Structure formats: structure tokens, C-alpha cells
Amino acid sequence: MRVRIDNVTKKFGNTTAVSNFSAELEDGHLICLLGPSGCGKSTLLNMLCGIIPVTEGKIYFDDKDVTKLPPDQRNIGMVFQNYALYPHMTVAQNIAFPLEVLKVKKDERKARVEEIAKLVHVDNLLRRYPSELSGGQQQRVAIARAMVKKPQLLLMDEPLSNLDARLRLEMREEIRRIQKETGVTTVFVTHDQEEAMSISDSILLMKDGLLIQSGLCQELYVNPNSLFVAEFLGNPPANKIIQEDKTLAIRPEAFTLDENGTEAEIQFISEMGKDQIVTMTYLGKTVRAILNLEDSALACGSKIKVSLKKKGVFTFDKEGRRLS
């Protein structure tokens, strides 16, 4: 299902949580709503599902105006940060609950529960209770419950934030697999840019209730339209060097060793997987660079010379707008 958001605004009293937001979400894609805490991404998600009413603007599912429809008439599935599983029900009963509400016949309920349980890899847990499950297993059950009624749109609000780092990585891959296999249009809210870039087809990056930039993950990274986007995406983040009336943003991988380059002094060298993160003084500023120093006996205090590649170097004006 294609989703169109037309100039949507949400106000709580004198506070504007989302302002004049417009976007089109492609059918069958996984789209991440990304941004810092308090930017309005969860508010927007709750307007998509109908929990929060829209102050201004329209929301369309395909060509149908759903702006004023209640959640139960939108054919959506929701997965929250809090899995909200019923403790007195088995896994099978938890997954089947939305079908009971819809008065689906018992035989069909059983068949659909078994089908979706197999898809999310909890088919061996159907007789267990939530207290007998790990965090990752509970998350799978929550996804199964949201998917069992075959929604046209799946909405996920920070669904991995309660998991440890290893489980987060595992569940990222599982959510992507499930979304690919079902083809359901999915909106995934997160403040974690690595999570967004690893899981999504495209990103809607928000700040202060506004849509700052949208597009394919790599497009935003390679071609940021503002200093905010350049700084928000990337780990380690882009280095910021202020020069008179403009700001230079340099991605760590844009540095390269060059005997004819600018002198820099190494402060610290750390390992990040196969990469070496070099903290150094460059143009009077402390910056981070990804460099290959394997063949050099360099340590803290050593001097090196570096130059900049064309890719990964951006300039912005005083307001943070992209110049080059």
C-alpha cells in the first residue's frame, strides 16, 4: 500500500509537534522515520495509525482519505517499544487475539497463527507464556500478533530499544527478512542512524517537527542537504571545522595519507573492527579520521601529512545550508 502524507501538522496547545509534513511512502518499502528524541517522529506515526488526530493536513492510504478514520478501520498493524503481551495468555493466544476481536472462525485462526508463527520463528513456542520468553522471542511474538491479521501497513515505534546490542542486530535482520517476505509497507521509527541505514529502503529524517531530508539511505549520507544531516548520519560523525562565514564538514573516511598534504599530529589511535580510528590535530582542530597505519610505526605525538578526497567533504553557510 502506498501512503501519502499531505501538509500534516499536529499541535498540542501552543506546541507544534509536527509542522507541514509532506511525504510519499512507496508500496512494499520499509521506510525509517529517523531523528533525535523529541523531533516528532512518534507523533507522526501515531497520526498514521489514528491514535492521535491530525490538526491540519491529510493522510491517504493509496487514494483513500483516512485522516479521520479510527485505527480499527485502517487495516494497520502496530508494534511498540513495550511489547504489551498478555501475561495470562500463551504465545498462540496472544498472536490469535486480534483475529478473535475480528471474529475470525476458530479453524482459520489456528491456521493463520501457525503460518505467521512459522514466519517469525516462534512456531516452537506457541504453548509458552510471555514470562518464559527472552526479549527477542517476545519481540517476535509482538510482530506476529501485528502481522496475523494481514495488515496493509505495519507501524513500528522504537521496537528494538529494550534489547541488548547483539539482540538488536539479530532482530534488525529478522524484521528486514519478514518485511521482504511479506511485502507489507512498513514505517519504522528510530533515533539510531546505524539502525535506520542498515534496515530501511529509504529514510525520512526529522528535526523539530520538520522533514529535513528524505531519500535512499546512501543518498542522504553522500549528499546531505544541510549541516544537520551531515552531522547526524555517520559513525564516527563528520568533523566540523568553522572557517569565517562557512563550516567545513569532513567525513572520517575522506582523509588520506599524502606526503604533500597538510600536517597533522596523532593524539590517539583506536581500533574499530578492521578500521583504525585516528584522533588527530588538523588545522588547529581535533578531528577523527579512518586511516590505514598498519605499515607505520606511528604512535601518539607522531606527525603525519594528510589530504582530503573530493568525496565526503562538504561546505555549509552560517545557517547550515549546503553550499558545496
Side-chain angles (χ1 to χ4, degrees):
M1 181 176 69
R2 182 171 51 86
V3 177
R4 180 156 55 94
I5 306 167
D6 272 357
N7 302 309
V8 164
T9 294
K10 179 59 190 177
K11 296 181 179 179
F12 296 98
N14 295 325
T15 301
T16 301
V18 176
S19 180
N20 200 32
F21 191 105
S22 294
E24 286 206 17
L25 314 183
E26 291 293 327
D27 180 29
H29 281 207
L30 195 159
I31 302 101
C32 270
L33 279 177
L34 175 66
S37 297
C39 71
K41 52 191 186 294
S42 291
T43 300
L44 182 61
L45 194 80
N46 286 328
M47 287 191 284
L48 286 174
C49 76
I51 292 175
I52 293 178
V54 171
T55 304
E56 297 171 14
K58 299 283 187 181
I59 296 173
Y60 297 90
F61 289 179
D62 288 329
D63 295 319
K64 182 180 180 181
D65 184 352
V66 299
T67 312
K68 296 184 179 179
L69 286 183
D72 61 352
Q73 294 180 29
R74 298 194 184 199
N75 193 16
I76 56 170
M78 283 285 293
V79 180
F80 297 96
Q81 180 178 343
N82 181 346
Y83 312 135
L85 301 178
Y86 298 109
H88 62 288
M89 292 183 180
T90 64
V91 166
Q93 291 169 332
N94 265 284
I95 296 172
F97 185 73
L99 300 180
E100 289 188 38
V101 173
L102 294 173
K103 301 189 185 304
V104 174
K105 291 182 179 179
K106 186 176 181 180
D107 287 347
E108 185 180 350
R109 281 204 314 265
K110 185 173 183 293
R112 284 180 43 188
V113 166
E114 289 175 352
E115 179 186 12
I116 197 67
K118 190 173 182 180
L119 176 69
V120 303
H121 298 166
V122 295
D123 47 314
N124 62 329
L125 305 173
L126 291 176
R127 295 184 179 181
R128 294 191 187 180
Y129 289 87
S131 61
E132 300 173 296
L133 305 178
S134 68
Q137 290 169 336
Q138 289 185 45
Q139 181 60 280
R140 289 170 190 267
V141 175
I143 293 170
R145 185 178 59 187
M147 296 290 293
V148 74
K149 59 181 181 178
K150 299 181 179 178
Q152 289 183 293
L153 180 66
L154 179 63
L155 304 174
M156 310 185 83
D157 193 1
E158 300 271 10
L160 308 181
S161 58
N162 289 337
L163 304 179
D164 63 36
R166 186 163 184 167
L167 265 179
R168 282 175 75 103
L169 183 59
E170 177 187 319
M171 286 309 302
R172 270 188 219 169
E173 295 169 353
E174 282 297 284
I175 287 170
R176 189 55 170 153
R177 176 187 65 80
I178 293 164
Q179 192 275 329
K180 283 286 190 184
E181 289 189 23
T182 60
V184 64
T185 305
T186 301
V187 182
F188 186 104
V189 164
T190 181
H191 63 274
D192 185 327
Q193 52 96 11
E194 285 189 41
E195 192 165 89
M197 294 187 76
S198 68
I199 199 174
S200 62
D201 292 303
S202 59
I203 289 175
L204 303 175
L205 181 55
M206 297 181 67
K207 180 187 180 186
D208 299 331
L210 299 169
L211 175 61
I212 304 300
Q213 188 172 356
S214 63
L216 300 177
C217 309
Q218 200 60 20
E219 285 178 2
L220 270 65
Y221 185 81
V222 171
N223 193 25
N225 67 2
S226 65
L227 182 59
F228 169 73
V229 178
E231 288 188 294
F232 195 84
L233 296 177
N235 185 28
N239 301 287
K240 185 169 68 173
I241 298 176
I242 299 174
Q243 297 178 325
E244 296 179 0
D245 60 345
K246 73 182 177 194
T247 298
L248 187 67
I250 309 168
R251 296 223 180 271
E253 64 270 23
F255 289 97
T256 184
L257 293 171
D258 183 354
E259 291 181 358
N260 299 313
T262 303
E263 187 174 89
E265 181 177 331
I266 296 174
Q267 297 178 2
F268 186 72
I269 301 173
S270 60
E271 304 289 335
M272 183 180 284
K274 62 181 177 61
D275 295 322
Q276 288 179 308
I277 311 300
V278 180
T279 303
M280 61 188 187
T281 303
Y282 173 80
L283 298 180
K285 300 289 185 181
T286 298
V287 299
R288 290 189 185 93
I290 297 175
L291 296 170
N292 183 1
L293 302 177
E294 288 180 358
D295 300 327
S296 306
L298 296 175
C300 298
S302 298
K303 302 286 181 66
I304 57 174
K305 288 191 175 183
V306 296
S307 61
L308 299 177
K309 303 172 186 176
K310 289 184 179 180
K311 188 177 180 180
V313 180
F314 318 105
T315 56
F316 304 92
D317 65 15
K318 289 181 178 179
E319 283 72 42
R321 293 175 297 215
R322 177 80 177 271
L323 295 174
S324 64

